Amino acid sequence: MNKIERVRAALAGRPVDRAPFSVWYHFGTQHAPAERAAQVHLEFFEHYDLDLLKLMNDYDYPMPDGMEVIATAADLGRLRPFDPAQTPLGTQLRTVELVARALRDRALFVDTVFNAWNTLKRNLVREAMPTLMAEQPKAVEEALGVVNDNLIRYAQASLSRGAAGIFLSVPATTESLTPEQYERFMRPFDLAFLEAIRGRGECHVLHAHGERLYLDRLLDYPVHALSWADLNGGPTVAEARRRTSLTLMTGLDHVKFAESSAALVRDGVRRALAAGGATRFILAPGCSVPTYTYPPLLHAARDESARDLPG
């Protein structure tokens, strides 16, 4: 099988010669032009012989002109619709174009999007988010609607430029917000986002980010694969397999990876492949591995993943 055939078979539940392999970390290119970001991703893809490339997206969602902080309902009201190509996200779209051109007919890649709640909190509101959710919930909802619509436009533009899918990062955990807050401020916008791109990609991945997940509320998201940290908060691969028919994308301990020996990494790969089974499984980290991870460890994971399937 070639890389595209292998990933498509894993997503469709068809037999594979081996589980597809992917890994990623943050490259620190958010200050760089698209040409450099694309080059770094492509070098990483080639060096570690990945089956599926996750395109990192560290270009920022822009703050409204003249603002450095958003802390009130009036501040939230200044958020506006925009053309993503005219913002820093436009550099990411150019990166998508360059990577798509280089990988055409060779491999699929997914583009990363942080969901509306995470984008609003990380890029704009930051420390004021808990107070605003508690005291100005309607203003937060309206701001999330604006952000989500902008992210939908971005995702549609990325898909039209060659991304095979969107890797949607969703921090639906007790560490981030309460169940009631999740139901009001996160889930409706996630579903609206995914409905807007349904049928426009072949490899949409839900990345359930965090440890204490509201997993039961995530399993009906319209995606092709589920990414989560099975070794850092769970559920286990076996439990997830019982609860969803989605392709599972996990298995590598991103927390301990960089500090492990190559032998321990190989052991972990063997356990993950045995748990993942012969289909609907992509070997990948539960989240980004540390940027300082040494190449021999990544090579060990890649080489062990290429061995015959367990059993």
Side-chain angles (χ1 to χ4, degrees):
M1 282 182 153
N2 63 35
K3 297 174 186 294
I4 294 177
E5 292 169 343
R6 186 173 298 118
V7 171
R8 285 176 173 165
L11 293 172
R14 298 194 301 269
V16 293
D17 57 342
R18 60 171 176 78
F21 171 77
S22 186
V23 69
W24 55 85
Y25 53 55
H26 292 276
F27 296 108
T29 55
Q30 56 266 32
H31 60 281
E35 291 73 15
R36 191 176 306 158
Q39 179 185 5
V40 168
H41 279 89
L42 292 168
E43 288 174 348
F44 188 81
F45 169 82
E46 298 287 356
H47 188 77
Y48 296 110
D49 193 22
L50 306 182
D51 292 301
L52 174 69
L53 175 64
K54 177 186 179 295
L55 201 64
M56 309 303 282
N57 188 347
D58 292 322
Y59 295 105
D60 59 295
Y61 184 104
M63 186 77 77
D65 289 344
M67 298 186 71
E68 289 188 339
V69 63
I70 290 180
T72 67
D75 294 340
L76 289 171
R78 292 187 58 183
L79 296 175
R80 294 288 184 268
F82 58 59
D83 175 0
Q86 302 305 313
T87 74
L89 295 175
T91 308
Q92 179 74 3
L93 291 175
R94 175 60 178 157
T95 303
V96 170
E97 291 177 349
L98 294 169
V99 171
R101 185 182 307 161
L103 294 184
R104 184 175 291 115
D105 300 325
R106 296 177 54 211
L108 304 178
F109 71 96
V110 294
D111 189 12
T112 304
V113 172
F114 298 94
N115 77 344
W117 185 91
N118 205 10
T119 296
L120 185 66
K121 181 181 184 296
R122 291 187 357 152
N123 293 75
L124 302 169
V125 174
R126 298 188 173 92
E127 69 273 8
M129 194 68 166
T131 300
L132 286 171
M133 286 193 296
E135 299 179 1
Q136 301 291 340
K138 183 61 176 176
V140 172
E141 284 180 312
E142 292 174 355
L144 285 168
V146 174
V147 171
N148 207 44
D149 286 346
N150 287 333
L151 294 177
I152 287 170
R153 280 188 286 273
Y154 170 82
Q156 291 172 339
S158 179
L159 294 166
S160 70
R161 285 163 169 78
I166 297 299
F167 186 98
L168 181 65
S169 181
V170 175
T173 67
T174 60
E175 305 101 89
S176 298
L177 67 183
T178 67
E180 295 76 18
Q181 289 170 334
Y182 163 75
E183 295 292 341
R184 182 169 187 176
F185 300 119
M186 189 175 290
R187 179 177 166 85
F189 301 97
D190 292 344
L191 293 177
F193 176 93
L194 291 168
E195 285 295 334
I197 61 171
R198 189 198 285 261
R200 299 193 64 173
E202 61 178 299
C203 187
H204 296 320
V205 180
L206 167 63
H207 175 59
H209 179 81
E211 294 188 1
R212 295 182 293 277
L213 298 166
Y214 301 127
L215 187 66
D216 288 339
R217 300 297 287 149
L218 298 174
L219 296 180
D220 63 347
Y221 279 33
V223 295
H224 303 96
L226 173 65
S227 160
W228 83 103
D230 67 301
L231 299 173
N232 304 99
T236 65
V237 170
E239 181 182 352
R241 184 71 77 197
R242 290 192 296 269
R243 297 169 70 179
T244 181
S245 61
L246 292 171
T247 294
L248 306 181
M249 185 173 178
T250 192
L252 300 179
D253 189 340
H254 68 284
V255 174
K256 298 179 181 178
F257 195 93
E259 306 300 331
S260 300
S261 66
L264 192 60
V265 167
R266 289 180 181 274
D267 287 343
V269 169
R270 288 192 291 270
R271 286 193 298 271
L273 293 177
T279 190
R280 289 197 183 280
F281 185 73
I282 298 172
L283 180 66
C287 199
S288 301
V289 300
T291 303
Y292 55 82
T293 300
Y294 290 125
L297 298 177
L298 295 172
H299 281 300
R302 174 65 182 86
D303 293 346
E304 194 64 33
S305 75
R307 296 180 184 272
D308 293 338
L309 284 167

